[in-house]
Amino acid sequence: MFRKVSDFEDAWRDESSATLKMLRVLNDAALSQAVKPGGRTIGRLAWHITMSLRELLGEAKLAIEGPHGEEPQPNLAGIVQAYETGATRVADAVKAKWTDAMLAEKVPMYGEEWTRGKVLAVLITHEIHHRAQMTVLMRQAGLIVPGMTCFPLLSTSVLRIFTMTEPKL
């Protein structure tokens, strides 16, 4: 959970950059790669990550423009452009409309109540989860998976999500 908007900004910059790095090594042919027939494809996962930006923050009453569940999956260039634009809108909206104090306030989320700080942490962990799924499919498709930051090299901003304190490295 985030307690400071600036901590989210740091973590979001790192994680959205990692997602863009992964999206940019894909190709249109690989978008149809699935773990099994009828399973989620790389394209579906990439588009889901992209659409989740608007959907998850919208659920928390922080409206941003972006693709929604009704829109068909575009080609890779369309996914990359939509994600890049959406990621910038996330950062801008959180900085402009939420304060540190507001991150402790609860909002209704999917039949539960979450703090806004938890909403932001879930946004990031959700994205990391689906990036991990994509790495399996990328390997099946014969693509090289780009290097990602990993423990113990995680940035302090990401470690704060889980520890709430500065790590001692």
Side-chain angles (χ1 to χ4, degrees), residues 59-129:
E59 188 75 17
K61 308 299 183 248
L62 182 60
I64 65 166
E65 289 185 37
H68 53 82
E70 311 297 316
E71 295 185 37
Q73 175 188 311
N75 65 12
L76 180 59
I79 293 171
V80 172
Q81 179 59 49
Y83 178 81
E84 189 167 26
T85 301
T88 299
R89 287 177 177 158
V90 166
D92 292 347
V94 170
K95 185 176 183 174
K97 297 180 181 176
W98 286 1
T99 64
D100 292 348
M102 290 173 72
L103 297 185
E105 296 172 359
K106 292 188 176 185
V107 292
M109 291 292 292
Y110 308 111
E112 300 178 352
E113 285 196 343
W114 298 357
T115 64
R116 286 185 174 99
K118 179 178 177 176
V119 170
L120 298 177
V122 169
L123 176 70
I124 287 176
T125 56
H126 173 262
E127 191 159 307
I128 292 168
H129 163 73

Side-chain angles (χ1 to χ4, degrees), residues 5-167:
V5 170
S6 62
D7 290 342
F8 170 74
E9 290 175 305
D10 292 344
W12 184 246
R13 183 179 47 256
D14 294 343
E15 295 305 322
S16 61
S17 293
T19 299
L20 277 168
K21 185 177 182 182
M22 181 169 281
L23 292 175
R24 288 183 174 135
V25 301
L26 297 175
N27 58 55
D28 280 314
L31 293 182
S32 62
Q33 178 68 45
V35 72
K36 63 180 183 175
R40 279 190 172 182
T41 64
I42 292 176
R44 182 173 170 201
L45 288 167
W47 191 230
H48 171 71
I49 289 170
T50 302
M51 291 189 305
S52 294
L53 303 177
R54 174 184 170 181
E55 191 276 326
L56 198 130
L57 291 182
E59 188 75 17
K61 308 299 183 248
L62 182 60
I64 65 166
E65 289 185 37
H68 53 82
E70 311 297 316
E71 295 185 37
Q73 175 188 311
N75 65 12
L76 180 59
I79 293 171
V80 172
Q81 179 59 49
Y83 178 81
E84 189 167 26
T85 301
T88 299
R89 287 177 177 158
V90 166
D92 292 347
V94 170
K95 185 176 183 174
K97 297 180 181 176
W98 286 1
T99 64
D100 292 348
M102 290 173 72
L103 297 185
E105 296 172 359
K106 292 188 176 185
V107 292
M109 291 292 292
Y110 308 111
E112 300 178 352
E113 285 196 343
W114 298 357
T115 64
R116 286 185 174 99
K118 179 178 177 176
V119 170
L120 298 177
V122 169
L123 176 70
I124 287 176
T125 56
H126 173 262
E127 191 159 307
I128 292 168
H129 163 73
H130 288 305
R131 273 199 331 249
Q133 290 178 316
M134 288 174 62
T135 64
V136 173
L137 299 176
M138 290 171 73
R139 288 183 175 105
Q140 286 181 329
L143 300 173
I144 295 174
V145 176
M148 298 287 151
T149 304
C150 62
F151 190 82
L153 302 174
L154 283 173
S155 68
T156 57
S157 58
V158 173
L159 286 173
R160 281 190 208 113
I161 297 171
F162 303 104
T163 65
M164 296 294 107
T165 60
E166 290 289 329

